[in-house]
Amino acid sequence: MKFMYMDECCKNLISNHNHTVYIYGGMIIDKKDVHAALSDFKGIYQRAKNYLKERMKQHLKGNPDKGKIMKTVFDKFELHAAQIFNPDHTIRKGQIKRYNPWKYSDPRETFNILNTLIDKLTPYISEILIFKIDKSNILNYGNKKGINIDDNYVDEKIIEFIIEEYDTWLKKLNKKGALIPDKLDSGLRDKFVEKINMINSDFFWSEPIVVESYSNAFTQLIDIITYCYYLVYTNASHKQNFKAIQRLYYKKIKPKVVEKDLYKKLPK
């Protein structure tokens, strides 16, 4: 079996004005490498969790809700790209609604953790598949073809694209496989199931095996890798540690990456 762990970045491409590209990252790790990869991940994960706990305790000293806050943050702690790369609390009406422990991290230590994770884990990865569509390309395509492009259309096309490309890849290897994404909303999950069963391939498990990212090392890893790709692809130079992340991407991640652009596969 060839399992592809998946995570997306920048869904709702059309309705969200801040998004310029929609990306699904897929990561393949061979069975023989799983145990060693998990062992290395566990050590880095625990180091990050312990470090952030100590930093938060220092900053919350004297806060009467410290225990409750710490429990909420760390009971289901994960190495989550959106928090790592956007180290701010969620604020609503002037109140902190969700604490981000990475806000208390020294930026140099944040990068050290990220660097160690990528350095130690990428050797276990056999391939990283990046499925993407640029907003400008899909909108131009819609204008030329007289098609109304909305989020639903983009979701359907990129999911269909992922399944067809993965199925072709499996057939070449004569291997069976399955998709293992982070938790999907019901609409996206239904689209995956529908498209998988439309293809009706003997090589494909008939539904995605959905997991909670906080409990799965490899969905956390592909989440971070996909976000690193996004930062470099969009040249997000305003982001903390961007130059170092860019160097890390080109040195460690890019050699494993196979880019698959939906736009190139759309009917002309």
Side-chain angles (χ1 to χ4, degrees):
M1 290 286 284
K2 288 286 186 180
F3 295 109
M4 183 159 71
Y5 294 87
M6 299 198 73
D7 201 69
E8 52 76 25
C9 181
C10 302
K11 65 180 180 180
N12 300 323
L13 178 66
I14 305 304
S15 60
N16 192 316
H17 300 298
N18 295 320
H19 294 169
T20 59
V21 62
Y22 186 14
I23 302 164
Y24 263 97
M27 182 181 74
I28 313 287
I29 294 183
D30 287 337
K31 179 182 177 181
K32 64 181 175 59
D33 294 322
V34 167
H35 182 264
L38 288 174
S39 296
D40 281 353
F41 179 89
K42 184 177 180 180
I44 299 162
Y45 168 92
Q46 202 58 55
R47 167 190 159 189
K49 186 176 182 179
N50 291 342
Y51 167 73
L52 292 172
K53 272 187 171 181
E54 289 305 313
R55 298 287 289 192
M56 275 198 76
K57 282 179 184 177
Q58 292 172 23
H59 282 83
L60 294 177
K61 190 176 292 185
N63 187 322
D65 295 322
K66 182 175 74 172
K68 181 181 178 181
I69 294 168
M70 295 290 290
K71 181 176 173 58
T72 300
V73 170
F74 291 105
D75 267 8
K76 294 183 178 180
F77 175 75
E78 64 179 289
L79 300 180
H80 186 36
Q83 289 190 323
I84 295 170
F85 296 107
N86 303 285
D88 290 306
H89 300 316
T90 301
I91 308 290
R92 291 188 190 133
K93 297 181 179 179
Q95 299 291 321
I96 298 175
K97 295 300 180 183
R98 181 178 298 171
Y99 280 81
N100 182 351
W102 295 95
K103 184 174 179 63
Y104 304 115
S105 176
D106 184 310
R108 292 168 297 183
E109 183 59 18
T110 298
F111 180 74
N112 284 339
I113 292 168
L114 179 65
N115 181 62
T116 303
L117 182 74
I118 299 300
D119 183 59
K120 294 290 187 182
L121 272 295
T122 49
Y124 300 119
I125 301 171
S126 55
E127 272 191 272
I128 298 166
L129 306 178
I130 297 291
F131 304 91
K132 69 182 181 69
I133 182 67
D134 290 282
K135 181 184 282 189
S136 58
N137 284 342
I138 195 69
L139 289 177
N140 287 338
Y141 179 80
N143 288 335
K144 288 178 183 177
K145 294 290 187 178
I147 300 170
N148 178 42
I149 305 295
D150 58 13
D151 290 330
N152 187 59
Y153 179 89
V154 176
D155 283 341
E156 288 195 358
K157 289 300 179 184
I158 200 161
I159 289 170
E160 185 178 288
F161 178 54
I162 290 167
I163 292 166
E164 288 176 351
E165 289 292 309
Y166 190 43
D167 185 51
T168 299
W169 186 79
L170 289 169
K171 285 175 181 174
K172 286 180 180 178
L173 295 174
N174 195 29
K175 297 285 186 180
K176 296 186 184 296
L179 300 178
I180 306 180
D182 187 8
K183 185 178 179 181
L184 298 167
D185 64 50
S186 59
L188 284 178
R189 186 191 177 282
D190 289 346
K191 285 182 174 67
F192 269 105
V193 172
E194 178 187 349
K195 298 299 181 183
I196 288 171
N197 285 277
M198 280 177 63
I199 290 176
N200 193 28
S201 171
D202 291 334
F203 292 85
F204 229 109
W205 189 251
S206 58
E207 66 171 344
I209 303 170
V210 179
V211 298
E212 291 280 5
S213 57
Y214 72 85
S215 65
N216 189 282
F218 297 145
T219 51
Q220 292 177 53
L221 180 58
I222 188 56
D223 173 44
I224 290 169
I225 288 171
T226 302
Y227 209 100
C228 285
Y229 175 89
Y230 165 73
L231 293 178
V232 173
Y233 185 74
T234 59
N235 193 32
S237 56
H238 62 288
K239 288 291 185 180
Q240 178 179 289
N241 294 317
F242 175 72
K243 288 295 183 183
I245 291 165
Q246 190 179 47
R247 289 192 296 271
L248 179 62
Y249 171 81
Y250 281 111
K251 184 177 180 181
K252 297 291 183 178
I253 300 173
K254 187 172 173 29
K256 304 278 187 174
V257 167
V258 178
E259 291 182 291
K260 294 183 175 291
D261 191 338
L262 169 61
Y263 181 66
K264 294 178 180 178
K265 291 298 180 82
L266 291 171
K268 298 301 186 241

